[in-house]
Amino acid sequence: MTSAPSTDAIRTVDAVVVGAGFAGLYMVHKLREAGFTVQGVDAAKDVGGTWYWNRYPGARCDIPSLLYSYTWSDELRDSWRWSEKYATQPEILAYAEHVADRYDLRPAFLFETKVVSAVFNEETGRWRVETDKGQVFDARFCIMGTGCLSVPRVPDLPGAASFKGKAYVTGQWPHDGVDFKGKRVAIIGTGSSAIQSMPLIAADAAQVTVFQRTPNFSLPALNTPLTDEEVAAFNEAFPIYKSLLDSGEPGIPLPPKGWVPSDEELAPLVEQLWNGGGLISAAMIPELMRSERINDAAADFVRARIREIVKDPVLAARLTPTSFPIAAKRACVDTDYFATYNRDNVTLVDLRETPIEAITETGVRTSGAEYPADIIVYALGFDAMTGALLNIDIRGRDGVALRDVWSEGPKTYLGVAIAGFPNLFTVTGPGSPSVLSNMLNSIEQHVDWIFDAIQHVQKTQSALIEATPQAQDDWVAHVNEEADQTLYPRAASWYVGANVPGKPRVFMPYVGEGYKKRCDQIAADGYVGFALSR
Ligand code: FAD
Ligand code: NAP
């Protein structure tokens, strides 16, 4: 039994920041620059968050690297050169490390340490944050940069523990890599992680068997090295890009609002899905997520490409997604995913026809056959958006647990604050654009906004800032209304929590427009919907 830490052992700080991914790094930097004392904490051994954990072969960004970058420092931008259109995980991790080195961020963090609880004390108006190592922090502000995709789903398939070979989870990949040479590999899942890793694993392994529950849409990355000219052109246009972001515009040119293209106008737009623009090409199709006609045209185009690429028509049919609108699950961006099924050493098992019955000592057994494997790769996704927050015992006013408040799904104001949890902020939390956006932009927007809110609390000599229940209810209703006008809820996706058994089915990200402008207006008008108290 561990005894309660003495008052001396409790470290008093202005803020605790949980997470050393891009959210936590920037938050710690901003607060520290402004003179706040900050304690960062991360379960990982080092910085990087997503890019620390997801080291599977082929892991890359699906937003072009030049855009998947911080914009808050010109000298940081000048000190970094991306080598490819879509950077690999090692390069993105190196970027996070570069940021940590340049701004000396590591000393602010405790690594290999998990925050297990954060409890608000009504009397002191402060948060008591405890770690799994027994450290206790007494903090005025608590900022959760815990990540939307940071709690990997580990295999709960019957018999998983009995497997005698090696098993790996994409989101917890070993640091010294995995040798697939000459091995029989089972890959379970066909989301982005599997779609990125499968072609590289197949190039090495003796045999790859992919276990697919739902076929997925994927767009070609057409990845290339970045030329000096491309980098120079981006740098030249950067001031415009930055000013667009700062004013709450998307930062990339999108189709004019209200334009509903005719079938003739649509055809060339849809073809752009195959030009390497990935998710940006999808965003360039007006009304993609609001019009069935337009979505069907885009989906049909991709389905036709799959049939062209995959030589065996039966296999092509199995790989063709039909059960949800394109982009209602995050579309994947791949290199040679569909073409790899033409290799002799790759087999697809369609779990809709023959479901998995068990993992055995020697492989995977479905209702149709037993597939021997030396290695199983689990690419099962994440307990997204709420998982990391609910793993922490967060208690607000009256000792109320966030787990209870969110038992029917997450409720937030703007995805950044929760009624009843004063001075606690969530970076890219549910109810904000978050995972539907370029996350680096959304992280920066939230960190900047949270920082300004904290400054406002200081300037007004307030003690606490908290979302009002009314503002939160109105926001939750608005988030749902916006989602209901789109095709997103038609997919059983992780956006709605459908991938985690028992998780409430609520569409979590915010799909409406003008989010940043709204946040900025709320701040400019004196933090409308927030109560400030002394
Ligand atoms: P994370 O990077 O997830 O960091 C959160 C950190 O918090 C983790 O290190 C975790 O260990 C720590 N943590 C959580 N809970 C605790 C706790 N209780 N105690 C201590 N530490 C804790 N987004 C894009 O926009 N474009 C992309 O191309 C893209 N590619 C992706 C590829 C993969 C494989 C994955 C999984 C996600 C991708 N994303 C992408 C989303 C990605 O998560 C974000 O872009 C971004 O990296 C999130 O940064 P973050 O700091 O918010 O969270
Ligand atoms: P995911 O998209 O949730 O995919 C998980 C896969 O596992 C799905 O195919 C799912 O099938 C399958 N699955 C889950 N449980 C299963 C079970 N019990 N039996 C059989 N199959 C099962 O997860 P992810 O691939 O890790 O990607 C998650 C998100 O992370 C992405 O959407 C993206 O936002 C981000 N990401 C981005 C990149 C990138 O390209 N930059 C790469 C990786 C991840 P069902 O579809 O039937 O549920």
Side-chain angles (χ1 to χ4, degrees):
M1 209 174 94
T2 50
S3 53
S6 69
T7 323
D8 293 349
I10 299 176
R11 183 168 175 228
T12 299
V13 287
D14 294 320
V16 163
V17 174
V18 192
F22 287 120
L25 290 177
Y26 183 39
M27 191 80 246
V28 164
H29 171 64
K30 271 209 98 143
L31 287 169
R32 235 181 30 179
E33 284 283 293
F36 290 92
T37 52
V38 189
Q39 181 63 60
V41 188
D42 199 304
K45 270 194 182 141
D46 201 350
V47 299
T50 292
W51 306 101
Y52 172 90
W53 295 107
N54 291 266
R55 296 171 187 242
Y56 59 83
R60 291 174 186 274
C61 50
D62 59 7
I63 301 272
S65 326
L66 288 168
L67 305 179
Y68 191 70
S69 307
Y70 286 132
T71 67
W72 48 267
S73 162
D74 285 341
E75 58 101 10
L76 171 61
R77 194 161 43 85
D78 291 344
S79 68
W80 188 259
R81 166 71 158 83
W82 292 111
S83 67
E84 290 178 84
K85 183 168 113 183
Y86 296 108
T88 58
Q89 171 272 330
E91 193 169 341
I92 305 173
L93 181 60
Y95 176 68
E97 289 169 350
H98 172 71
V99 174
D101 289 342
R102 201 166 179 91
Y103 299 97
D104 195 26
L105 298 175
R106 284 190 182 90
F109 280 92
L110 265 179
F111 291 107
E112 293 186 88
T113 305
K114 263 189 196 157
V115 166
V116 291
S117 69
V119 178
F120 181 67
N121 181 328
E122 299 265 1
E123 274 170 32
T124 59
R126 298 178 67 89
W127 285 89
R128 179 187 164 92
V129 179
E130 282 198 47
T131 75
D132 62 345
K133 304 264 169 74
Q135 296 103 330
V136 179
F137 303 104
D138 173 66
R140 189 161 169 216
F141 298 99
C142 191
I143 297 120
M144 297 296 178
T146 44
C148 295
L149 295 160
S150 54
V151 180
R153 291 201 53 232
V154 290
D156 55 359
L157 294 160
S162 71
F163 182 59
K164 292 265 193 317
K166 300 269 187 210
Y168 302 102
V169 172
T170 48
Q172 296 172 336
W173 203 258
H175 290 203
D176 40 5
V178 175
D179 185 4
F180 290 105
K181 279 210 176 57
K183 300 285 195 295
R184 297 162 303 172
V185 184
I187 301 178
I188 307 184
T190 49
S192 298
S193 302
I195 282 178
Q196 284 189 326
S197 54
M198 185 281 254
L200 289 168
I201 296 173
D204 263 6
Q207 173 67 39
V208 167
T209 310
V210 179
F211 293 83
Q212 170 189 270
R213 197 163 65 177
T214 313
N216 228 328
F217 290 100
S218 189
L219 309 173
L222 307 187
N223 191 33
T224 51
L226 272 176
T227 63
D228 288 343
E229 290 71 29
E230 284 165 321
V231 174
F234 177 78
N235 284 337
E236 202 177 314
F238 182 82
I240 302 170
Y241 171 62
K242 178 70 175 153
S243 69
L244 285 170
L245 290 179
D246 288 346
S247 62
E249 297 298 330
I252 50 167
L254 292 180
K257 280 196 184 99
W259 176 38
V260 182
S262 65
D263 289 348
E264 271 178 5
E265 290 168 321
L266 192 55
L269 291 174
V270 158
E271 280 173 24
Q272 293 299 307
L273 290 173
W274 233 245
N275 76 354
L279 302 176
I280 293 177
S281 298
M284 294 302 292
I285 302 176
E287 304 294 309
L288 179 71
M289 300 316 293
R290 288 171 190 269
S291 156
E292 266 182 69
R293 173 180 65 85
I294 290 171
N295 194 286
D296 285 349
D300 283 346
F301 174 83
V302 175
R303 290 193 270 256
R305 301 289 79 71
I306 297 171
R307 286 192 291 270
E308 269 170 20
I309 297 169
V310 180
K311 289 184 189 143
D312 171 353
V314 176
L315 180 55
R318 288 193 173 121
L319 285 166
T320 301
T322 51
S323 60
F324 59 95
I326 187 169
K329 289 185 178 186
R330 190 180 179 95
C332 308
V333 178
D334 74 275
T335 299
D336 293 337
Y337 174 64
F338 293 113
T340 301
Y341 284 97
N342 293 328
R343 293 177 65 115
D344 291 340
N345 69 336
V346 178
T347 307
L348 181 78
V349 176
D350 191 333
L351 300 178
R352 292 167 301 180
E353 295 163 9
T354 53
I356 292 178
E357 286 181 346
I359 306 297
T360 65
E361 286 186 10
T362 53
V364 182
R365 192 179 72 232
T366 69
S367 61
E370 175 117 24
Y371 299 88
D374 306 304
I375 296 176
I376 301 182
V377 172
Y378 291 104
L380 303 175
F382 298 85
D383 183 353
M385 302 206 74
T386 56
L389 291 167
L390 295 178
N391 273 351
I392 303 172
D393 185 13
I394 302 178
R395 288 174 188 265
R397 285 194 185 278
D398 303 320
V400 169
L402 186 65
R403 288 172 188 155
D404 292 332
V405 178
W406 283 10
S407 61
E408 289 169 7
K411 296 184 178 75
T412 70
Y413 182 37
L414 303 172
V416 82
I418 306 157
F421 296 79
N423 287 5
L424 178 115
F425 298 98
T426 52
V427 183
T428 64
S432 72
S434 184
V435 291
L436 292 178
S437 65
N438 172 351
M439 285 286 277
L440 264 263
N441 294 346
S442 287
I443 284 169
E444 272 190 46
Q445 187 251 327
H446 264 190
V447 169
D448 289 341
W449 194 93
I450 291 165
F451 176 77
D452 290 346
I454 289 174
Q455 295 279 56
H456 181 74
V457 172
Q458 301 279 80
K459 274 189 217 133
T460 54
Q461 295 181 341
S462 310
L464 303 174
I465 183 166
E466 60 191 302
T468 67
Q470 187 61 53
Q472 177 165 289
D473 287 351
D474 293 348
W475 183 251
V476 170
H478 173 65
V479 170
N480 289 329
E481 265 164 37
E482 288 287 341
D484 289 345
Q485 289 169 36
T486 71
L487 304 173
Y488 282 106
R490 295 214 197 156
S493 67
W494 58 258
Y495 295 147
V496 294
N499 65 330
V500 178
K503 189 164 173 171
R505 291 257 183 142
V506 176
F507 190 81
M508 293 182 282
Y510 177 60
V511 295
E513 288 177 355
Y515 173 80
K516 179 178 189 295
K517 287 183 183 168
R518 191 188 282 252
C519 291
D520 290 349
Q521 196 59 51
I522 283 169
D525 292 344
Y527 293 86
V528 180
F530 287 89
L532 284 134
S533 54
R534 280 167 194 272

